[in-house]
Amino acid sequence: MQLYVKTIGACCIMAASLLMGMQIDKGMKHKCILLREMYDLLAFLEKEMTFHRSPVPEALQNAAQQCTTELSDVLKETASGTVRREGKVFADIWRNALEQCIPPQILTEEEKSAFREAADALCNADTIMQRTMLQKHAERFKNMYQRELERYQEKSTLTRRLSTSAGIFLIIVLL
C-alpha cells in the first residue's frame, strides 16, 4: 500500500515539474510571438496608413483581424476608443488599451515602454513623418524580437531539462 502511495506521489511530482517547464517554455515562446506580431503590425500599418491613407480606426480594425495574440484586443480597444474619443489624446487611449489587454508579466519594462512609445508612430498628422516613425518603431520591434528569439532558442531546451531534473531530484529527496 505504501509503495502505491509513493509511486503516485512520485508521478505527481514528476508531472508537476514537467508541466512547470512546459509553462515557462510556452511563456517565452508567447513573448516571441507577441514581439513578432507587433513588428508585422507596424509594417502592415505603414502600408495601410501611408499608401492607402486609411483613417486610424479603420486601419487598426483591419490590422486587428490579422493578429492572433492579445494585440488584436489592444487594436480593437484602441480603434473603438478613437471613435468615441471622450476628450482623450491617442497616446492615452493606446496606453489604456495596452494596460487592459496585455498581461503585465509577459513583457519587461523596456518592452512595455516600446509598446507605449509606438503610439507616436500610429497617430501622426504628417504622412512622411508617420511613415518614418512606423519604420523606426518596426525596426526596434524587429531587434527586440530577434533578441528574444535567440534567448528562447538558447533557453528552451535548458528550461525543460532543468524542470525534469528538478522533478527527479525532488522524488529522490522525498523518497
Side-chain angles (χ1 to χ4, degrees):
M1 177 71 175
Q2 193 175 23
L3 180 64
Y4 292 124
V5 173
K6 287 184 178 185
T7 304
I8 291 171
C11 289
C12 289
I13 290 171
M14 198 64 204
S17 296
L18 290 172
L19 288 174
M20 187 178 76
M22 289 171 55
Q23 184 176 4
I24 292 169
D25 183 58
K26 183 180 175 184
M28 288 189 300
K29 185 176 182 179
H30 181 71
K31 185 176 181 178
C32 284
I33 291 170
L34 186 66
L35 292 172
R36 173 62 191 221
E37 197 163 87
M38 186 62 177
Y39 164 70
D40 292 340
L41 166 75
L42 292 171
F44 174 80
L45 287 175
E46 178 188 349
K47 293 177 187 96
E48 191 75 16
M49 294 174 140
T50 58
F51 297 123
H52 297 126
R53 303 219 188 252
S54 299
V56 173
E58 182 182 324
L60 293 177
Q61 285 291 348
N62 291 340
Q65 294 171 356
Q66 297 181 356
C67 294
T68 58
T69 62
E70 294 90 357
L71 206 49
S72 175
D73 296 332
V74 171
L75 295 173
K76 289 175 186 174
E77 182 67 29
T78 303
S80 66
T82 55
V83 170
R84 61 179 187 268
R85 201 124 218 216
E86 299 171 345
K88 293 182 180 178
V89 294
F90 182 81
D92 291 339
I93 296 169
W94 176 254
R95 285 185 188 108
N96 289 339
L98 285 173
E99 289 173 8
Q100 287 177 1
C101 301
I102 296 183
Q105 68 272 15
I106 292 177
L107 302 171
T108 64
E109 278 305 314
E110 175 192 357
E111 293 159 346
K112 288 177 188 177
S113 175
F115 271 88
R116 279 184 243 128
E117 291 169 8
D120 300 337
L122 296 174
C123 190
N124 199 317
D126 182 21
T127 308
I128 296 170
M129 184 65 168
Q130 184 174 31
R131 182 175 186 206
T132 305
M133 294 290 287
L134 284 168
Q135 289 172 344
K136 177 185 139 201
H137 284 284
E139 187 65 31
R140 184 177 183 188
F141 278 99
K142 182 179 180 183
N143 291 337
M144 284 192 302
Y145 163 70
Q146 289 172 341
R147 274 192 315 234
E148 194 62 34
L149 183 62
E150 288 172 8
R151 181 177 167 264
Y152 171 70
Q153 290 171 343
E154 182 180 297
K155 293 185 178 184
S156 174
T157 306
L158 179 66
T159 301
R160 285 183 269 135
R161 287 182 182 165
L162 282 175
S163 68
T164 303
S165 300
I168 292 170
F169 176 75
L170 278 174
I171 291 170
I172 292 170
V173 167
L174 295 175
L175 289 180

